[in-house]
Amino acid sequence: MCGDPILDLLFLAIPGALLGVGAFFMMGKDKRKKIEEIFR
């Protein structure tokens, strides 16, 4: 990676966020509705 720890965190966080979104959409609609209610 780069010498910059902040850039290293971004390189790790972006794929992690994409995986989280993918898992979120692969879950059932019922769970998604519950999560959306929590975030409102």
Side-chain angles (χ1 to χ4, degrees):
M1 296 277 197
C2 312
D4 194 345
I6 295 171
L7 288 175
D8 288 349
L9 279 174
L10 281 175
F11 273 102
L12 293 173
I14 292 169
L18 289 174
L19 283 173
V21 170
F24 179 77
F25 280 113
M26 287 176 75
M27 276 194 288
K29 288 182 179 179
D30 294 335
K31 286 184 181 178
R32 273 168 56 187
K33 284 180 183 174
K34 288 177 184 174
I35 293 171
E36 284 171 3
E37 285 174 5
I38 290 169
F39 279 113
R40 279 180 192 163

